[in-house]
Amino acid sequence: MALPLAPIAVVALRYGAVALTTYAIARSVERGRRDQRHEDALDEAPEGLTARREKTDDSEQVNATARMRRVIRLGENGPGVEIDAVGLTRIRFRKV
């Protein structure tokens, strides 16, 4: 009995296209750098949600922060991992 190659070729082409696209995107993304000022700002953010509205002469700005810190353990005294997720947002509206 012959092995039908057409369905296998379609799947191989699909996975090949996904792999090629992923490789191209990974090559085009610029490598980030760590700035200590930004790290300090993230460390100083309070836990929970905060928002502040600021109005100047020509623009209006809203700043928001969100922080969640949790420790997840496997078992009562087992190995754990700490998750510290921080998000900073700035939205600025300006009349032009």
Side-chain angles (χ1 to χ4, degrees):
M1 176 185 245
L3 183 65
L5 293 178
I8 296 172
V10 169
V11 171
L13 282 173
R14 186 178 302 156
Y15 282 120
V18 169
L20 184 63
T21 304
T22 304
Y23 177 74
I25 290 172
R27 297 284 296 177
S28 68
V29 172
E30 189 175 323
R31 187 174 176 101
R33 59 186 173 87
R34 183 176 291 175
D35 188 351
Q36 191 59 43
R37 295 173 299 165
H38 297 151
E39 292 289 323
D40 293 339
L42 293 174
D43 289 339
E44 292 172 3
E47 190 162 355
L49 296 171
T50 65
R52 189 180 81 208
R53 184 175 176 182
E54 194 173 299
K55 193 169 188 174
T56 60
D57 293 338
D58 62 341
S59 68
E60 186 173 339
Q61 180 173 316
V62 177
N63 297 331
T65 64
R67 183 173 194 173
M68 180 191 80
R69 292 176 62 177
R70 299 291 182 262
V71 175
I72 298 174
R73 291 199 177 276
L74 298 175
E76 193 170 312
N77 293 324
V81 76
E82 180 183 19
I83 299 172
D84 186 3
V86 180
L88 303 174
T89 304
R90 178 181 74 180
I91 302 172
R92 184 184 303 172
F93 298 101
R94 191 177 333 181
K95 290 183 182 179
V96 292

